[in-house]
Amino acid sequence: MTVYEAELVVDRRESAADGVLALTLRHPLGEDLPAWEPGAHVDVVLGPELERQYSLCGDPADRSVWRIAVLREPAGRGGSTHVHEQLRQGAKVRVRGPRNHFRLESAPRYRFVAGGIGITPILPMLAAAEAAGAEWTLLYGGRTRNSIAFTEELGRYGERVTVSPQDENGLLDLGSVLDDLPEGTLVYCCGPGPLLDAVEERCPAERLRVERFSPRAREAGENGEFEVELAQSGRTVRVAPDVSVLDAVRAAGVEVLFSCTEGTCGTCETDVLDGTPDHRDSVLSAEEQQSGETMMICVSRCRGKKLVLDL
């Protein structure tokens, strides 16, 4: 499948909260951008070896622009600092996508939970749920009131939105929205790892949909050696215990798309034609992992001696 990639122009920069910068991106020739649905993200190529994923948080009906929001993290790996300091008005940046591993499924009612910059994929979900006539609420937390982004936009939803700064109220009262869920309710959550862990502890897995910005904590599994047959090229490569499938495939001269190398962005998702993957990603749902139809080759491995991949 061909992935859209283009150099877009920073059309507008605006502060969404303390430390949060919202960027509106457009095509330099005014062309429409690809359609997307709530939950989608794009890859932003900031420089050599510097690529980040940001959720689209604008209006899916407006094909003229894409909007992203970036939290400045001084102790991060440099991506957010680059965005805040280098992507000035009129600057150009290469963007690829969109992709969506956090789709809003149809339901009569929703409970949305967001922490910090995790509000970005949730924003368009609220508008979609509203347009569909679904019953919904949002519980949204952040460190301080001034650090909580897009509160003005959220204000139009009234009492369905509960904004709870941690320095005023402590940790989010998850029980108030997750206990005794009505039949047919889906829970969507995005934010820091500890928040997602807490939500997963008290919400039935079949009701919950999450998106993680950092890998899920996992016990280290054994890394055995195995083979990967590349169905399209007819080649077979050996994957050593200390080498990822991604690195082994690239070392064999096969070009594949990848980005985070942590199993969180979904860029390297690859179809599995035969064999059983040892899933170690933080993207696929339990059901998707159980099906074994695809895998994230940057972190996942093989339960056995051989995989056949559609590469």
Side-chain angles (χ1 to χ4, degrees):
M1 182 180 67
T2 302
V3 178
Y4 177 84
E5 184 170 350
E7 199 169 63
L8 304 184
V9 176
V10 177
D11 188 55
R12 187 170 59 191
R13 287 166 49 101
E14 54 189 326
S15 174
D18 285 353
V20 179
L21 178 66
L23 298 180
T24 301
L25 308 173
R26 63 172 173 82
H27 193 280
L29 300 180
E31 297 177 5
D32 277 353
L33 301 175
W36 59 280
E37 296 178 354
H41 72 265
V42 293
D43 305 327
V44 180
V45 183
L46 301 170
E49 307 300 323
L50 189 61
E51 184 174 320
R52 298 291 183 267
Q53 291 71 44
Y54 299 112
S55 297
L56 293 172
C57 58
D59 179 3
D62 186 356
R63 298 278 302 279
S64 67
V65 295
W66 282 343
R67 184 176 71 165
I68 61 174
V70 181
L71 169 66
R72 183 163 193 163
E73 299 181 271
R77 297 178 295 164
S80 66
T81 297
H82 182 98
V83 170
H84 278 249
E85 295 183 356
Q86 304 298 323
L87 294 190
R88 298 295 178 182
Q89 195 81 10
K92 293 183 178 180
V93 62
R94 184 152 291 277
V95 182
R96 184 171 58 237
R99 294 184 179 83
N100 200 338
H101 292 279
F102 194 42
R103 296 184 185 277
L104 183 67
E105 301 173 26
S106 178
R109 55 190 61 86
Y110 301 95
R111 298 293 180 263
F112 297 103
V113 181
I117 199 64
I119 189 61
T120 50
I122 300 294
L123 271 179
M125 291 185 179
L126 303 182
E130 182 80 356
E135 174 198 325
W136 63 269
T137 63
L138 166 66
L139 179 61
Y140 178 23
R143 296 185 306 277
T144 67
R145 191 169 294 277
N146 289 338
S147 72
I148 297 178
F150 300 112
T151 52
E152 186 173 339
E153 288 186 30
L154 292 169
R156 70 176 185 265
Y157 295 123
E159 294 183 353
R160 279 171 294 178
V161 174
T162 300
V163 173
S164 182
Q166 185 174 347
D167 64 341
E168 298 176 19
N169 304 321
L171 297 177
L172 290 177
D173 181 8
L174 297 178
S176 66
V177 295
L178 298 182
D179 290 351
D180 301 319
L181 290 173
E183 186 67 28
T185 302
L186 289 182
V187 177
Y188 279 78
C189 180
C190 185
L195 171 63
L196 271 63
D197 293 341
V199 171
E200 287 180 337
E201 286 181 3
R202 58 190 313 156
C203 184
E206 66 273 13
R207 301 279 194 95
L208 181 60
R209 309 291 184 268
V210 302
E211 183 170 62
R212 290 181 176 269
F213 295 141
S214 57
R216 187 193 311 271
R218 298 179 184 275
E219 293 185 7
E222 291 188 9
N223 288 352
E225 181 178 309
F226 57 96
E227 289 185 341
V228 173
E229 180 182 332
L230 310 179
Q232 293 183 29
S233 62
R235 301 183 62 182
T236 297
V237 299
R238 182 180 70 88
V239 182
D242 59 344
V243 175
S244 69
V245 175
L246 173 64
D247 288 343
V249 168
R250 295 183 68 222
V254 178
E255 291 298 320
V256 292
L257 288 176
F258 69 97
S259 182
C260 73
T261 69
E262 296 179 327
T264 59
C265 74
T267 303
C268 69
E269 184 174 14
T270 302
D271 288 341
V272 178
L273 304 181
D274 195 19
T276 304
D278 177 7
H279 294 288
R280 303 184 184 185
D281 67 276
S282 301
V283 179
L284 298 175
S285 67
E287 291 78 12
E288 290 170 329
Q289 291 187 350
Q290 183 66 31
S291 75
E293 295 177 357
T294 68
M295 66 182 288
M296 305 302 160
I297 61 174
C298 66
V299 293
S300 297
R301 300 186 66 82
C302 177
R303 293 185 183 277
K305 294 298 182 181
K306 186 175 181 179
L307 287 171
V308 181
L309 301 181
D310 190 17
L311 290 174

